[in-house]
Amino acid sequence: MKKIILCVFVSLCSVMISQAQTITIENTTSLQRSELVAVSADELGIKSGTDVVVRDVSNIERPTQWTYDGKLLMEVHARPHSKAVFTLQSGTPAAFRSWVDGRQYPERLDDIAFENDRIGFRIYGPALQRKGEKGYGYDLWVKRTTELVLGELYRNDPRLSFHLDYGKGVDCFAVGPTLGCGTPAMLQHGEIRFPWCYETYKILDKGPLRFTVQIDFPTTDDGITEHRILSIDKGSNFVESTVWFDGLKQPTDVLAGFPIRPAGAETLVKGGGYIQYADPTIEPDRYQSQVYVALLFPDQQVDIDVVQQHGVGILRGYTSNQRFHYYIGAAWSEFDVRSQQEWQSRIDGFMQARQAPLQVVVVK
């Protein structure tokens, strides 16, 4: 019995931090930075999932989250050309509210919907495909609150419609037989090969700071299987998207895109590594607002173009299992981004931040 107790004690000690660690986050840019920083368990010298407490220089505990791939998420605010210092030690973290959420809604044709404190998305599911409805792309839920509201908006209340704004959010973005907001696809013979609905899914991260879901698609008649991982963070207008295809017989162009409506065509902006646009909503006269969308490609060389009335970023010569990585941006003029000029500023700041990540130094 003593040997068993000793082994358990040694095992517990192996995942605990022997003393407090200092984590210094350096902002080398001229931007004010407010974002999540991920530090790997290996860099911290502990096992992923270990109970830890992170405190700032005022000794205030800050929310953290272990991710599915073994990284500790920390929310960091850093002034231009400055350093933010935190301490990390063993302990039971406090229970913080979640700023992200998502789940499958089998009661609504297998939608997968997820949100953070700024924006929401939904992905159409197998039940919709079985009906034959052409729902290829990601749909948007625009919000006017930092609360998590999708569960409420999905309630089956005959007196309410999520296409009407009752004060918290609304679905006023048209998808139909398009790529919606940022959906990937193959480009074959100069035409978009529109994907249909996902087959299976797995929620990888559930908050409080990041939501991540993997969706996998049925294998096509020509042997191609598509996979996607989507992540949304607290405080961000941008969803990280990682896509890969199995079974390609030869290099193929792949893209991500959004439809361009005639009523908003003049707002399209094609930049270096990004494309953005002010969508006029389903019924402009009713909503009298704009939904700002964008696709950002800070990590791969793409061609920014217009294909079949879609603004797209095209990765040329894609081969099987290569990761196609990009960010999907969305905001609403009725909430935190009031104009397309402000949207451009937010895009510029995000792209600059991706090119100069916050620098992390761990002192054990």
Side-chain angles (χ1 to χ4, degrees), residues 237-251:
N237 291 92
F238 301 94
V239 174
E240 183 175 12
S241 174
T242 303
V243 183
W244 67 101
F245 298 85
D246 302 330
L248 290 172
K249 305 299 188 296
Q250 59 187 13

Side-chain angles (χ1 to χ4, degrees), residues 285-306:
D285 291 339
R286 168 187 285 184
Y287 295 105
Q288 293 295 329
S289 63
Q290 292 180 314
V291 177
Y292 305 117
V293 298
L295 292 170
L296 283 54
F297 305 89
D299 306 318
Q300 290 172 311
Q301 184 66 43
V302 299
D303 293 339
I304 303 298
D305 206 346
V306 175

Side-chain angles (χ1 to χ4, degrees), residues 138-355:
Y138 301 144
D139 195 10
L140 281 178
W141 299 84
V142 292
K143 298 170 56 174
R144 59 169 78 251
T145 175
T146 60
E147 298 175 29
L148 300 177
V149 299
L150 291 196
E152 179 180 348
L153 295 177
Y154 264 110
R155 286 184 310 179
N156 186 22
D157 187 337
R159 298 169 300 173
L160 304 176
S161 167
F162 51 59
H163 293 297
L164 297 176
D165 178 16
Y166 295 97
K168 291 187 177 180
V170 63
D171 175 5
C172 60
F173 180 82
V175 180
T178 76
L179 291 177
C181 187
T183 309
M186 290 181 287
L187 184 64
Q188 295 183 324
H189 310 296
E191 295 188 354
I192 298 172
R193 179 170 168 170
F194 289 93
W196 217 338
C197 299
Y198 74 89
E199 181 176 44
T200 61
Y201 77 98
K202 183 178 182 181
I203 293 176
L204 304 177
D205 293 318
K206 187 69 172 170
L209 298 174
R210 173 176 292 171
F211 175 87
T212 304
V213 62
Q214 177 170 334
I215 55 176
D216 302 288
F217 289 74
T219 301
T220 62
D221 292 342
D222 50 355
I224 300 171
T225 308
E226 181 182 357
H227 314 272
R228 307 177 195 168
I229 294 177
L230 296 160
S231 288
I232 192 168
D233 288 352
K234 175 192 175 186
S236 179
N237 291 92
F238 301 94
V239 174
E240 183 175 12
S241 174
T242 303
V243 183
W244 67 101
F245 298 85
D246 302 330
L248 290 172
K249 305 299 188 296
Q250 59 187 13
T252 302
D253 293 343
V254 298
L255 56 76
F258 52 74
I260 303 169
R261 330 286 184 187
E266 75 285 352
T267 71
L268 187 70
V269 177
K270 296 188 286 185
Y274 73 85
I275 186 168
Q276 64 110 327
Y277 163 74
D279 189 277
T281 74
I282 297 173
E283 299 177 61
D285 291 339
R286 168 187 285 184
Y287 295 105
Q288 293 295 329
S289 63
Q290 292 180 314
V291 177
Y292 305 117
V293 298
L295 292 170
L296 283 54
F297 305 89
D299 306 318
Q300 290 172 311
Q301 184 66 43
V302 299
D303 293 339
I304 303 298
D305 206 346
V306 175
V307 177
Q308 291 175 240
Q309 290 77 54
H310 282 73
V312 301
I314 306 170
L315 179 64
R316 302 291 184 183
Y318 172 92
T319 56
S320 277
N321 292 309
Q322 180 183 356
R323 266 41 178 181
F324 179 30
H325 185 247
Y326 62 96
Y327 293 86
I328 304 165
W332 191 28
S333 63
E334 295 297 297
F335 187 38
D336 63 330
V337 175
R338 297 291 183 170
S339 68
Q340 191 174 12
Q341 291 74 23
E342 187 177 341
W343 184 228
Q344 182 65 57
S345 178
R346 192 158 295 189
I347 290 168
D348 292 342
F350 187 88
M351 292 290 281
Q352 291 175 44
R354 297 287 73 74
Q355 292 162 6

